[in-house]
Amino acid sequence: MSLTNTDISHWLERSAQVMHEQNAYLTQLDAAIGDADHGANMDRGFQAVTGKIAAMPDADISTLLKTVGTTLVSTVGGASGPLYGTAFLRAGMAAANKQELESADLVALFTAMLEGIKARGKAQAGEKTMIDALTPAIEAGQQAQSENADLSQLLQSMTSAAEEGMKKTVPMLATKGRASYLGERSIGHQDPGATSSWLLIKALSDTVSPTHS
Ligand code: ADP
Ligand code: MG
């Protein structure tokens, strides 16, 4: 099994739907340790993405992902716009000339996204950011790949690991981004960006195996 440009379009559409549904939840998380705009940022960004990709039905995977990147950079303010924007631009580069994505391509794609976020935000694992959901997800993807799991199993493992990583941000002290201004008071709250990263991976997993959603 592999993912085509149609699957990627479906993922992006589903992501937009999920960000819209979870707008209030992400806002509530960001209200606790930030400025209460992460839900609005992700919702606005992904609504713009669906508008763009609806107009390009024949675009290849790389073009779709790069379009997400440029759209997020131009429509989402705050930290998450440039971070996710860079991530999707890197994903687009990782998918260059590929008509389909196999498991290994998918793990490489998420690795490129993570590297983009790290380069842009100068953060590492353990600082209470989206990196703390993406890092374990990629490790789980690599593990699943080494066990020859099929694509849908691989994505389910990545989703579970991202969710666990997201939950592990609760006791962390934020040392990057707006939440770091709170110092010790950032402890005890789940990171909004780690939550949206989990939602994005889950949206892809649910696109591939809707019965498990
Ligand atoms: P802002 O913080 O500017 O209001 P958002 O609320 O949209 O932007 O996004 C906040 C999220 O961005 C945080 O929850 C965190 O996961 C992520 N983030 C912030 N700074 C960084 C960074 N330097 N590296 C990685 N992720 C970061
Ligand atoms: Mg915010």
Side-chain angles (χ1 to χ4, degrees):
M1 190 189 180
S2 56
L3 300 179
T4 64
N5 58 346
T6 307
D7 296 315
I8 296 299
S9 294
H10 288 159
W11 171 35
L12 299 171
E13 283 159 14
R14 191 173 187 116
S15 296
Q17 197 187 328
V18 168
M19 293 307 162
H20 188 62
E21 287 164 3
Q22 303 298 326
N23 182 329
Y25 175 50
L26 294 172
T27 295
Q28 179 202 324
L29 293 173
D30 198 32
I33 54 168
D35 57 354
D37 66 352
H38 192 57
N41 284 344
M42 296 306 288
D43 192 5
R44 183 175 58 251
F46 273 89
Q47 296 318 311
V49 163
T50 48
K52 284 271 176 68
I53 62 163
M56 41 196 295
D58 299 321
D60 65 12
I61 295 171
S62 177
T63 306
L64 285 171
L65 294 169
K66 285 183 184 167
T67 302
V68 177
T70 53
T71 306
L72 293 181
V73 168
S74 62
T75 57
V76 180
S80 61
L83 289 166
Y84 277 128
T86 304
F88 278 96
L89 287 170
R90 295 282 187 104
M93 288 189 245
N97 303 318
K98 291 199 188 292
Q99 298 309 310
E100 297 194 355
L101 302 176
E102 313 276 346
S103 293
D105 300 320
L106 204 63
V107 174
L109 190 143
F110 276 100
T111 304
M113 293 177 86
L114 175 62
E115 293 310 319
I117 289 170
K118 283 181 166 175
R120 179 83 201 200
K122 309 266 180 282
Q124 294 299 322
E127 297 197 89
K128 201 181 183 92
T129 71
M130 44 184 75
I131 292 170
D132 295 307
L134 289 165
T135 304
I138 291 163
E139 285 166 4
Q142 287 164 341
Q143 175 72 25
Q145 205 193 313
S146 73
E147 292 164 1
N148 293 319
D150 68 27
L151 196 65
S152 108
Q153 288 170 328
L154 179 140
L155 278 165
Q156 283 171 42
S157 301
M158 287 184 70
T159 304
S160 302
E163 184 175 14
E164 261 179 59
M166 167 192 90
K167 288 180 178 161
K168 285 185 183 161
T169 64
V170 174
M172 286 180 186
L173 172 73
T175 48
K176 286 288 185 309
R178 228 174 251 284
S180 67
Y181 306 160
L182 289 181
E184 301 272 319
R185 282 183 293 130
S186 66
I187 294 172
H189 301 281
Q190 183 173 305
D191 180 61
T195 309
S196 56
S197 286
W198 163 62
L199 289 171
L200 287 173
I201 295 171
K202 184 177 188 305
L204 181 56
S205 180
D206 292 346
T207 301
V208 172
S209 29
T211 50
H212 295 279
S213 64

mmCIF file of all heavy atoms in Angstrom, residues 30 35 37-38 41 78-80 83 117 121 123 129-131 176-178 191-194, ligand 1:
data_model
loop_
_atom_site.group_PDB
_atom_site.id
_atom_site.type_symbol
_atom_site.label_atom_id
_atom_site.label_comp_id
_atom_site.label_asym_id
_atom_site.label_seq_id
_atom_site.Cartn_x
_atom_site.Cartn_y
_atom_site.Cartn_z
ATOM 1 N N ASP A 30 -4.107 26.685 24.599
ATOM 2 C CA ASP A 30 -3.218 27.835 24.426
ATOM 3 C C ASP A 30 -3.569 28.958 25.403
ATOM 4 O O ASP A 30 -2.695 29.752 25.777
ATOM 5 C CB ASP A 30 -3.275 28.330 22.970
ATOM 6 C CG ASP A 30 -2.091 29.219 22.594
ATOM 7 O OD1 ASP A 30 -0.981 29.018 23.138
ATOM 8 O OD2 ASP A 30 -2.273 30.128 21.762
ATOM 9 N N ASP A 35 -1.423 32.510 24.364
ATOM 10 C CA ASP A 35 -2.281 33.675 24.129
ATOM 11 C C ASP A 35 -3.608 33.300 23.478
ATOM 12 O O ASP A 35 -4.251 34.139 22.849
ATOM 13 C CB ASP A 35 -1.534 34.702 23.267
ATOM 14 C CG ASP A 35 -1.073 34.100 21.952
ATOM 15 O OD1 ASP A 35 -1.235 32.862 21.779
ATOM 16 O OD2 ASP A 35 -0.567 34.829 21.095
ATOM 17 N N ASP A 37 -4.609 31.603 20.895
ATOM 18 C CA ASP A 37 -4.882 31.746 19.457
ATOM 19 C C ASP A 37 -4.509 30.512 18.631
ATOM 20 O O ASP A 37 -4.637 30.534 17.409
ATOM 21 C CB ASP A 37 -4.166 32.983 18.884
ATOM 22 C CG ASP A 37 -2.645 32.844 18.911
ATOM 23 O OD1 ASP A 37 -2.135 31.871 19.510
ATOM 24 O OD2 ASP A 37 -1.963 33.726 18.353
ATOM 25 N N HIS A 38 -4.031 29.452 19.279
ATOM 26 C CA HIS A 38 -3.560 28.319 18.466
ATOM 27 C C HIS A 38 -4.701 27.670 17.661
ATOM 28 O O HIS A 38 -4.500 27.290 16.510
ATOM 29 C CB HIS A 38 -2.831 27.273 19.324
ATOM 30 C CG HIS A 38 -2.094 26.259 18.504
ATOM 31 N ND1 HIS A 38 -1.125 26.615 17.583
ATOM 32 C CD2 HIS A 38 -2.207 24.911 18.414
ATOM 33 C CE1 HIS A 38 -0.671 25.519 16.985
ATOM 34 N NE2 HIS A 38 -1.305 24.471 17.465
ATOM 35 N N ASN A 41 -5.474 29.979 14.811
ATOM 36 C CA ASN A 41 -4.364 29.935 13.848
ATOM 37 C C ASN A 41 -4.449 28.704 12.955
ATOM 38 O O ASN A 41 -4.358 28.800 11.728
ATOM 39 C CB ASN A 41 -3.017 29.903 14.588
ATOM 40 C CG ASN A 41 -2.626 31.267 15.143
ATOM 41 O OD1 ASN A 41 -3.175 32.291 14.747
ATOM 42 N ND2 ASN A 41 -1.677 31.268 16.075
ATOM 43 N N GLY A 78 1.906 34.209 14.446
ATOM 44 C CA GLY A 78 2.452 33.520 15.612
ATOM 45 C C GLY A 78 3.580 32.577 15.272
ATOM 46 O O GLY A 78 4.097 32.572 14.155
ATOM 47 N N ALA A 79 3.935 31.774 16.238
ATOM 48 C CA ALA A 79 5.055 30.843 16.083
ATOM 49 C C ALA A 79 4.689 29.690 15.153
ATOM 50 O O ALA A 79 5.493 29.245 14.331
ATOM 51 C CB ALA A 79 5.456 30.292 17.445
ATOM 52 N N SER A 80 3.457 29.212 15.264
ATOM 53 C CA SER A 80 3.117 27.968 14.574
ATOM 54 C C SER A 80 3.052 28.123 13.051
ATOM 55 O O SER A 80 3.298 27.150 12.335
ATOM 56 C CB SER A 80 1.803 27.393 15.114
ATOM 57 O OG SER A 80 0.750 28.300 14.909
ATOM 58 N N LEU A 83 6.544 27.729 11.675
ATOM 59 C CA LEU A 83 7.045 26.388 12.039
ATOM 60 C C LEU A 83 6.373 25.311 11.190
ATOM 61 O O LEU A 83 7.048 24.500 10.551
ATOM 62 C CB LEU A 83 6.829 26.120 13.529
ATOM 63 C CG LEU A 83 7.731 26.934 14.460
ATOM 64 C CD1 LEU A 83 7.223 26.877 15.900
ATOM 65 C CD2 LEU A 83 9.178 26.450 14.389
ATOM 66 N N ILE A 117 11.236 22.026 11.541
ATOM 67 C CA ILE A 117 10.735 22.696 12.752
ATOM 68 C C ILE A 117 11.888 22.994 13.706
ATOM 69 O O ILE A 117 11.990 24.089 14.265
ATOM 70 C CB ILE A 117 9.649 21.829 13.428
ATOM 71 C CG1 ILE A 117 8.386 21.830 12.574
ATOM 72 C CG2 ILE A 117 9.353 22.311 14.850
ATOM 73 C CD1 ILE A 117 7.329 20.826 12.996
ATOM 74 N N GLY A 121 12.804 26.714 14.685
ATOM 75 C CA GLY A 121 12.468 27.132 16.050
ATOM 76 C C GLY A 121 13.598 26.985 17.047
ATOM 77 O O GLY A 121 13.460 27.380 18.205
ATOM 78 N N ALA A 123 14.584 24.550 18.688
ATOM 79 C CA ALA A 123 14.182 23.802 19.884
ATOM 80 C C ALA A 123 14.562 22.333 19.724
ATOM 81 O O ALA A 123 14.821 21.853 18.614
ATOM 82 C CB ALA A 123 12.685 23.937 20.117
ATOM 83 N N THR A 129 7.079 21.385 23.197
ATOM 84 C CA THR A 129 6.594 21.929 21.915
ATOM 85 C C THR A 129 6.085 20.779 21.047
ATOM 86 O O THR A 129 6.112 19.611 21.445
ATOM 87 C CB THR A 129 7.710 22.641 21.116
ATOM 88 O OG1 THR A 129 8.625 21.649 20.633
ATOM 89 C CG2 THR A 129 8.451 23.674 21.942
ATOM 90 N N MET A 130 5.693 21.130 19.839
ATOM 91 C CA MET A 130 5.254 20.146 18.838
ATOM 92 C C MET A 130 6.311 19.060 18.594
ATOM 93 O O MET A 130 5.969 17.937 18.220
ATOM 94 C CB MET A 130 4.872 20.854 17.527
ATOM 95 C CG MET A 130 5.839 21.918 17.088
ATOM 96 S SD MET A 130 5.335 22.833 15.590
ATOM 97 C CE MET A 130 4.049 23.915 16.158
ATOM 98 N N ILE A 131 7.559 19.399 18.822
ATOM 99 C CA ILE A 131 8.658 18.434 18.657
ATOM 100 C C ILE A 131 8.446 17.205 19.549
ATOM 101 O O ILE A 131 8.807 16.084 19.179
ATOM 102 C CB ILE A 131 10.013 19.122 18.974
ATOM 103 C CG1 ILE A 131 10.312 20.170 17.892
ATOM 104 C CG2 ILE A 131 11.156 18.112 19.110
ATOM 105 C CD1 ILE A 131 11.482 21.079 18.216
ATOM 106 N N LYS A 176 10.785 27.142 25.314
ATOM 107 C CA LYS A 176 10.734 27.826 24.007
ATOM 108 C C LYS A 176 9.331 28.397 23.798
ATOM 109 O O LYS A 176 8.355 27.897 24.361
ATOM 110 C CB LYS A 176 11.033 26.834 22.873
ATOM 111 C CG LYS A 176 12.488 26.435 22.754
ATOM 112 C CD LYS A 176 13.339 27.568 22.200
ATOM 113 C CE LYS A 176 14.782 27.197 21.946
ATOM 114 N NZ LYS A 176 15.505 26.574 23.022
ATOM 115 N N GLY A 177 9.249 29.419 23.001
ATOM 116 C CA GLY A 177 7.950 29.981 22.649
ATOM 117 C C GLY A 177 7.321 30.753 23.802
ATOM 118 O O GLY A 177 7.912 30.937 24.859
ATOM 119 N N ARG A 178 6.074 31.168 23.549
ATOM 120 C CA ARG A 178 5.342 31.996 24.497
ATOM 121 C C ARG A 178 5.184 31.341 25.874
ATOM 122 O O ARG A 178 5.224 32.025 26.897
ATOM 123 C CB ARG A 178 3.946 32.219 23.919
ATOM 124 C CG ARG A 178 3.470 33.597 23.921
ATOM 125 C CD ARG A 178 2.140 33.656 23.176
ATOM 126 N NE ARG A 178 2.285 34.317 21.899
ATOM 127 C CZ ARG A 178 2.396 35.632 21.751
ATOM 128 N NH1 ARG A 178 2.380 36.418 22.796
ATOM 129 N NH2 ARG A 178 2.520 36.161 20.566
ATOM 130 N N ASP A 191 0.823 20.916 25.934
ATOM 131 C CA ASP A 191 1.236 21.880 24.916
ATOM 132 C C ASP A 191 0.282 21.897 23.712
ATOM 133 O O ASP A 191 -0.003 20.858 23.120
ATOM 134 C CB ASP A 191 2.655 21.554 24.436
ATOM 135 C CG ASP A 191 3.103 22.542 23.379
ATOM 136 O OD1 ASP A 191 3.161 23.745 23.708
ATOM 137 O OD2 ASP A 191 3.352 22.133 22.242
ATOM 138 N N PRO A 192 -0.192 23.080 23.323
ATOM 139 C CA PRO A 192 -1.112 23.168 22.180
ATOM 140 C C PRO A 192 -0.503 22.670 20.870
ATOM 141 O O PRO A 192 -1.168 21.959 20.093
ATOM 142 C CB PRO A 192 -1.431 24.664 22.073
ATOM 143 C CG PRO A 192 -0.923 25.308 23.308
ATOM 144 C CD PRO A 192 0.023 24.378 23.982
ATOM 145 N N GLY A 193 0.750 23.024 20.610
ATOM 146 C CA GLY A 193 1.387 22.622 19.351
ATOM 147 C C GLY A 193 1.609 21.115 19.272
ATOM 148 O O GLY A 193 1.470 20.511 18.203
ATOM 149 N N ALA A 194 1.957 20.500 20.400
ATOM 150 C CA ALA A 194 2.091 19.033 20.411
ATOM 151 C C ALA A 194 0.733 18.404 20.118
ATOM 152 O O ALA A 194 0.632 17.364 19.461
ATOM 153 C CB ALA A 194 2.624 18.563 21.767
HETATM 154 P P1 ADP B 1 2.101 31.731 19.355
HETATM 155 O O1 ADP B 1 2.831 31.021 20.452
HETATM 156 O O2 ADP B 1 2.971 32.679 18.628
HETATM 157 O O3 ADP B 1 0.824 32.325 19.831
HETATM 158 P P2 ADP B 1 0.658 29.412 18.415
HETATM 159 O O4 ADP B 1 -0.172 29.624 19.615
HETATM 160 O O5 ADP B 1 -0.082 29.242 17.130
HETATM 161 O O6 ADP B 1 1.708 30.604 18.254
HETATM 162 O O7 ADP B 1 1.567 28.112 18.583
HETATM 163 C C1 ADP B 1 2.099 27.768 19.823
HETATM 164 C C2 ADP B 1 2.834 26.443 19.713
HETATM 165 O O8 ADP B 1 3.982 26.591 18.899
HETATM 166 C C3 ADP B 1 3.349 25.922 21.030
HETATM 167 O O9 ADP B 1 2.367 25.186 21.713
HETATM 168 C C4 ADP B 1 4.546 25.081 20.642
HETATM 169 O O10 ADP B 1 4.176 23.723 20.415
HETATM 170 C C5 ADP B 1 4.961 25.676 19.319
HETATM 171 N N1 ADP B 1 6.240 26.376 19.433
HETATM 172 C C6 ADP B 1 6.454 27.614 19.906
HETATM 173 N N2 ADP B 1 7.757 27.934 19.815
HETATM 174 C C7 ADP B 1 8.386 26.853 19.274
HETATM 175 C C8 ADP B 1 9.731 26.545 18.902
HETATM 176 N N3 ADP B 1 10.723 27.430 19.066
HETATM 177 N N4 ADP B 1 9.981 25.332 18.365
HETATM 178 C C9 ADP B 1 8.998 24.444 18.178
HETATM 179 N N5 ADP B 1 7.710 24.677 18.495
HETATM 180 C C10 ADP B 1 7.404 25.861 19.044
#
